[in-house]
Amino acid sequence: MRKLLIGGVLAAVVALVAAWAVAPVLAAQGLVRAARAGDARRLEALVDFPALRQSLKEELNAELVARMRRDPAVADNPLGGLGLMLAPMLLSGAVDTLVTPEMVAEMVVTAEAPDPTRPPEREPGDEHDADDIHQSWGYRDLDHFAVTLTDRDRPDQQLALILERRGLFTWKLAAVDIESGD
């Protein structure tokens, strides 16, 4: 009887650990399916929009500042410093406005970070060849799981969607990591 009880407890612990480890994979699959289907309601449930907006602001600001510093027309211009100071404020407002479920869907199906200077080119529900986007999945640490998207036409550019743990089994998209070969 005692062996049966120990076996039952051990099986329950193994099942709990397996469910805990698989939860981000299921959340990520749900996010990708909802994005491909253009399901804004489902995306709203799977995304922490305030955290995602903050992450996008940081990533896009860093990218913008790096581009401006590499551009000789900006670097050599006395007003270039003013542009470097104003760019984050302008970008912040644009990100606040543009980060919507439709924009998240656009990121997932194109493997591109949003460009605040132009609206999304794809309407929700439009077909996109899913074979063009390579996905790699994995834990970054116990509370962060990444879905890294790479367009096969641009292998030097990657977009990582970072899901964060919210409780024991719940995961939400809360950040992005933009990696560019520039």
Side-chain angles (χ1 to χ4, degrees):
M1 182 69 167
R2 185 174 181 181
K3 286 184 181 183
L4 186 61
L5 179 64
I6 291 173
V9 169
L10 186 58
V13 168
V14 168
L16 184 67
V17 169
W20 182 81
V22 169
V25 173
L26 297 175
Q29 288 175 339
L31 178 74
V32 170
R33 277 194 304 273
R36 287 185 179 157
D39 187 348
R41 180 176 251 177
R42 182 75 180 129
L43 285 170
E44 286 178 13
L46 294 169
V47 178
D48 177 350
F49 281 98
L52 180 61
R53 285 182 181 105
Q54 184 59 38
S55 173
L56 271 170
K57 287 175 190 177
E58 292 168 5
E59 287 289 321
L60 293 174
N61 276 331
E63 180 71 20
L64 181 62
V65 168
R67 283 185 186 175
M68 290 176 78
R69 287 191 174 145
R70 286 191 306 259
D71 186 350
V74 174
D76 296 338
N77 188 330
L79 295 177
L82 180 62
L84 284 171
M85 289 186 335
L86 292 176
M89 290 186 298
L90 297 172
L91 188 62
S92 176
V95 167
D96 286 340
T97 302
L98 292 175
V99 176
T100 63
E102 293 78 17
M103 189 273 319
V104 171
E106 178 79 10
M107 284 193 322
V108 172
V109 299
T110 64
E112 289 182 23
D115 182 350
T117 63
R118 63 179 167 80
E121 297 170 358
R122 174 185 175 269
E123 291 296 320
D126 281 356
E127 292 299 317
H128 184 81
D129 190 0
D131 293 336
D132 289 345
I133 306 298
H134 176 264
Q135 299 176 10
S136 58
W137 305 45
Y139 278 95
R140 290 206 168 173
D141 58 44
L142 291 178
D143 293 325
H144 295 91
F145 187 83
V147 178
T148 304
L149 306 170
T150 309
D151 189 330
R152 294 185 196 282
D153 295 334
R154 293 176 317 229
D156 59 330
Q157 295 179 347
Q158 296 180 335
L159 176 68
L161 307 173
I162 312 299
L163 284 78
E164 288 184 356
R165 183 181 305 280
R166 302 285 198 259
L168 195 56
F169 298 105
T170 304
W171 291 79
K172 287 197 172 206
L173 175 61
V176 294
D177 187 6
I178 302 168
E179 299 173 20
S180 177
D182 293 340

Short mmCIF file of all heavy atoms in Angstrom, two decimals, residues 60 67 90-91 94-95 97-100 102-103 106-107 110-123 151 154 157:
data_model
loop_
_atom_site.label_atom_id
_atom_site.label_comp_id
_atom_site.label_asym_id
_atom_site.label_seq_id
_atom_site.Cartn_x
_atom_site.Cartn_y
_atom_site.Cartn_z
N LEU A 60 13.40 49.51 -30.35
CA LEU A 60 13.37 50.39 -31.52
C LEU A 60 14.20 51.66 -31.28
O LEU A 60 14.84 52.16 -32.21
CB LEU A 60 11.94 50.74 -31.90
CG LEU A 60 11.10 49.57 -32.42
CD1 LEU A 60 9.66 49.99 -32.63
CD2 LEU A 60 11.69 48.99 -33.70
N ARG A 67 21.31 53.46 -35.92
CA ARG A 67 21.25 53.85 -37.34
C ARG A 67 21.65 55.32 -37.52
O ARG A 67 22.36 55.66 -38.46
CB ARG A 67 19.85 53.65 -37.89
CG ARG A 67 19.51 52.23 -38.19
CD ARG A 67 18.15 52.13 -38.83
NE ARG A 67 17.75 50.75 -39.00
CZ ARG A 67 16.59 50.38 -39.45
NH1 ARG A 67 15.68 51.28 -39.79
NH2 ARG A 67 16.30 49.11 -39.57
N LEU A 90 9.34 60.87 -30.06
CA LEU A 90 8.45 60.64 -31.20
C LEU A 90 8.15 59.15 -31.37
O LEU A 90 7.01 58.76 -31.63
CB LEU A 90 9.08 61.20 -32.47
CG LEU A 90 9.30 62.72 -32.49
CD1 LEU A 90 10.10 63.11 -33.72
CD2 LEU A 90 7.99 63.45 -32.43
N LEU A 91 9.17 58.33 -31.20
CA LEU A 91 9.02 56.90 -31.34
C LEU A 91 8.09 56.34 -30.25
O LEU A 91 7.26 55.48 -30.52
CB LEU A 91 10.38 56.22 -31.27
CG LEU A 91 10.43 54.74 -31.58
CD1 LEU A 91 9.97 54.48 -33.01
CD2 LEU A 91 11.83 54.22 -31.39
N ALA A 94 4.50 56.88 -31.17
CA ALA A 94 4.12 56.01 -32.30
C ALA A 94 3.92 54.58 -31.82
O ALA A 94 2.97 53.91 -32.23
CB ALA A 94 5.18 56.08 -33.39
N VAL A 95 4.80 54.09 -30.96
CA VAL A 95 4.68 52.72 -30.47
C VAL A 95 3.40 52.57 -29.65
O VAL A 95 2.68 51.58 -29.79
CB VAL A 95 5.92 52.32 -29.64
CG1 VAL A 95 5.68 51.03 -28.87
CG2 VAL A 95 7.13 52.15 -30.56
N THR A 97 0.66 54.04 -30.03
CA THR A 97 -0.49 54.02 -30.95
C THR A 97 -0.54 52.75 -31.79
O THR A 97 -1.60 52.20 -32.02
CB THR A 97 -0.42 55.24 -31.88
OG1 THR A 97 -0.39 56.43 -31.09
CG2 THR A 97 -1.59 55.29 -32.82
N LEU A 98 0.62 52.29 -32.23
CA LEU A 98 0.65 51.20 -33.21
C LEU A 98 0.62 49.79 -32.62
O LEU A 98 0.33 48.85 -33.34
CB LEU A 98 1.89 51.33 -34.09
CG LEU A 98 1.90 52.52 -35.03
CD1 LEU A 98 3.23 52.61 -35.76
CD2 LEU A 98 0.76 52.45 -36.01
N VAL A 99 0.95 49.63 -31.35
CA VAL A 99 1.01 48.28 -30.79
C VAL A 99 -0.41 47.81 -30.48
O VAL A 99 -1.00 48.17 -29.47
CB VAL A 99 1.93 48.21 -29.55
CG1 VAL A 99 1.88 46.83 -28.94
CG2 VAL A 99 3.35 48.53 -29.96
N THR A 100 -0.92 47.03 -31.39
CA THR A 100 -2.28 46.49 -31.33
C THR A 100 -2.22 44.99 -31.61
O THR A 100 -1.19 44.48 -32.04
CB THR A 100 -3.16 47.16 -32.41
OG1 THR A 100 -2.61 46.82 -33.69
CG2 THR A 100 -3.21 48.67 -32.25
N GLU A 102 -3.41 43.55 -34.11
CA GLU A 102 -3.10 43.42 -35.55
C GLU A 102 -1.61 43.56 -35.80
O GLU A 102 -1.04 42.85 -36.65
CB GLU A 102 -3.89 44.46 -36.35
CG GLU A 102 -5.39 44.24 -36.35
CD GLU A 102 -6.10 44.70 -35.07
OE1 GLU A 102 -5.52 45.47 -34.28
OE2 GLU A 102 -7.24 44.26 -34.86
N MET A 103 -0.95 44.46 -35.08
CA MET A 103 0.49 44.63 -35.25
C MET A 103 1.25 43.40 -34.73
O MET A 103 2.24 42.98 -35.32
CB MET A 103 0.95 45.90 -34.52
CG MET A 103 2.38 46.31 -34.78
SD MET A 103 3.68 45.59 -33.73
CE MET A 103 3.00 45.62 -32.12
N GLU A 106 1.02 40.88 -37.35
CA GLU A 106 1.94 41.24 -38.44
C GLU A 106 3.37 40.81 -38.10
O GLU A 106 4.09 40.27 -38.95
CB GLU A 106 1.86 42.76 -38.68
CG GLU A 106 2.81 43.26 -39.73
CD GLU A 106 2.33 43.00 -41.15
OE1 GLU A 106 1.18 42.60 -41.35
OE2 GLU A 106 3.14 43.22 -42.07
N MET A 107 3.80 41.04 -36.86
CA MET A 107 5.15 40.64 -36.45
C MET A 107 5.33 39.14 -36.57
O MET A 107 6.36 38.67 -37.04
CB MET A 107 5.43 41.07 -35.00
CG MET A 107 5.72 42.51 -34.81
SD MET A 107 6.40 42.94 -33.18
CE MET A 107 5.55 41.91 -32.04
N THR A 110 5.36 37.95 -40.39
CA THR A 110 6.42 38.48 -41.25
C THR A 110 7.81 38.39 -40.64
O THR A 110 8.80 38.61 -41.33
CB THR A 110 6.17 39.97 -41.59
OG1 THR A 110 6.23 40.74 -40.39
CG2 THR A 110 4.84 40.16 -42.30
N ALA A 111 7.90 38.08 -39.35
CA ALA A 111 9.18 38.04 -38.62
C ALA A 111 9.89 39.38 -38.64
O ALA A 111 11.11 39.44 -38.64
CB ALA A 111 10.09 36.93 -39.16
N GLU A 112 9.11 40.46 -38.67
CA GLU A 112 9.67 41.81 -38.69
C GLU A 112 9.13 42.62 -37.53
O GLU A 112 7.94 42.55 -37.23
CB GLU A 112 9.30 42.54 -39.98
CG GLU A 112 9.98 42.03 -41.20
CD GLU A 112 9.59 42.85 -42.43
OE1 GLU A 112 9.18 44.02 -42.28
OE2 GLU A 112 9.70 42.32 -43.54
N ALA A 113 10.01 43.42 -36.94
CA ALA A 113 9.55 44.38 -35.93
C ALA A 113 8.76 45.46 -36.63
O ALA A 113 8.98 45.73 -37.81
CB ALA A 113 10.75 44.98 -35.20
N PRO A 114 7.84 46.07 -35.92
CA PRO A 114 7.05 47.12 -36.58
C PRO A 114 7.90 48.32 -36.91
O PRO A 114 8.87 48.63 -36.23
CB PRO A 114 6.00 47.47 -35.52
CG PRO A 114 6.62 47.09 -34.24
CD PRO A 114 7.49 45.91 -34.53
N ASP A 115 7.53 48.99 -37.97
CA ASP A 115 8.17 50.25 -38.35
C ASP A 115 7.16 51.35 -38.06
O ASP A 115 6.15 51.46 -38.75
CB ASP A 115 8.54 50.24 -39.83
CG ASP A 115 9.26 51.49 -40.27
OD1 ASP A 115 9.31 52.47 -39.48
OD2 ASP A 115 9.78 51.52 -41.40
N PRO A 116 7.39 52.15 -37.01
CA PRO A 116 6.41 53.16 -36.63
C PRO A 116 6.17 54.23 -37.70
O PRO A 116 5.23 54.99 -37.60
CB PRO A 116 7.00 53.81 -35.38
CG PRO A 116 8.06 52.91 -34.91
CD PRO A 116 8.51 52.10 -36.10
N THR A 117 7.01 54.26 -38.72
CA THR A 117 6.84 55.27 -39.76
C THR A 117 5.86 54.84 -40.85
O THR A 117 5.54 55.63 -41.72
CB THR A 117 8.19 55.61 -40.41
OG1 THR A 117 8.71 54.44 -41.06
CG2 THR A 117 9.17 56.11 -39.37
N ARG A 118 5.40 53.56 -40.81
CA ARG A 118 4.44 53.11 -41.81
C ARG A 118 3.45 52.14 -41.17
O ARG A 118 3.79 51.40 -40.26
CB ARG A 118 5.13 52.45 -43.00
CG ARG A 118 5.90 51.21 -42.66
CD ARG A 118 6.54 50.60 -43.92
NE ARG A 118 7.50 49.59 -43.55
CZ ARG A 118 7.19 48.35 -43.20
NH1 ARG A 118 5.96 47.95 -43.18
NH2 ARG A 118 8.14 47.49 -42.88
N PRO A 119 2.21 52.13 -41.66
CA PRO A 119 1.21 51.21 -41.12
C PRO A 119 1.48 49.79 -41.60
O PRO A 119 2.20 49.59 -42.58
CB PRO A 119 -0.11 51.75 -41.70
CG PRO A 119 0.29 52.48 -42.93
CD PRO A 119 1.68 53.01 -42.68
N PRO A 120 0.87 48.79 -40.94
CA PRO A 120 1.04 47.41 -41.40
C PRO A 120 0.54 47.24 -42.83
O PRO A 120 -0.44 47.84 -43.22
CB PRO A 120 0.16 46.60 -40.43
CG PRO A 120 -0.04 47.48 -39.25
CD PRO A 120 0.05 48.89 -39.75
N GLU A 121 1.28 46.42 -43.59
CA GLU A 121 0.93 46.20 -44.99
C GLU A 121 -0.07 45.07 -45.16
O GLU A 121 -0.68 44.94 -46.19
CB GLU A 121 2.20 45.85 -45.78
CG GLU A 121 3.20 46.99 -45.77
CD GLU A 121 4.55 46.58 -46.33
OE1 GLU A 121 4.71 45.40 -46.70
OE2 GLU A 121 5.43 47.42 -46.40
N ARG A 122 -0.26 44.27 -44.15
CA ARG A 122 -1.09 43.07 -44.26
C ARG A 122 -2.38 43.28 -43.49
O ARG A 122 -2.39 43.76 -42.39
CB ARG A 122 -0.31 41.91 -43.66
CG ARG A 122 -1.06 40.63 -43.56
CD ARG A 122 -0.20 39.61 -42.82
NE ARG A 122 -0.94 38.40 -42.63
CZ ARG A 122 -1.68 38.14 -41.56
NH1 ARG A 122 -1.78 39.00 -40.60
NH2 ARG A 122 -2.32 37.00 -41.46
N GLU A 123 -3.46 42.89 -44.10
CA GLU A 123 -4.76 42.91 -43.42
C GLU A 123 -4.91 41.61 -42.64
O GLU A 123 -4.46 40.56 -43.09
CB GLU A 123 -5.89 43.03 -44.45
CG GLU A 123 -5.93 44.37 -45.15
CD GLU A 123 -6.23 45.52 -44.22
OE1 GLU A 123 -7.08 45.36 -43.32
OE2 GLU A 123 -5.59 46.57 -44.36
N ASP A 151 12.88 35.17 -41.22
CA ASP A 151 12.41 35.06 -42.60
C ASP A 151 13.54 34.43 -43.41
O ASP A 151 14.68 34.89 -43.37
CB ASP A 151 12.07 36.45 -43.15
CG ASP A 151 11.37 36.40 -44.49
OD1 ASP A 151 11.63 35.45 -45.26
OD2 ASP A 151 10.59 37.32 -44.78
N ARG A 154 15.74 36.69 -45.33
CA ARG A 154 16.63 37.59 -44.58
C ARG A 154 17.17 36.86 -43.35
O ARG A 154 16.80 37.18 -42.22
CB ARG A 154 15.88 38.85 -44.16
CG ARG A 154 15.46 39.72 -45.30
CD ARG A 154 14.65 40.85 -44.76
NE ARG A 154 13.74 40.27 -43.76
CZ ARG A 154 12.46 40.50 -43.70
NH1 ARG A 154 11.90 41.32 -44.48
NH2 ARG A 154 11.69 39.92 -42.81
N GLN A 157 18.45 38.67 -40.05
CA GLN A 157 17.54 39.42 -39.18
C GLN A 157 16.62 38.45 -38.47
O GLN A 157 15.98 37.61 -39.11
CB GLN A 157 16.71 40.42 -39.99
CG GLN A 157 17.53 41.51 -40.62
CD GLN A 157 16.68 42.46 -41.43
OE1 GLN A 157 15.52 42.19 -41.72
NE2 GLN A 157 17.26 43.58 -41.81
#
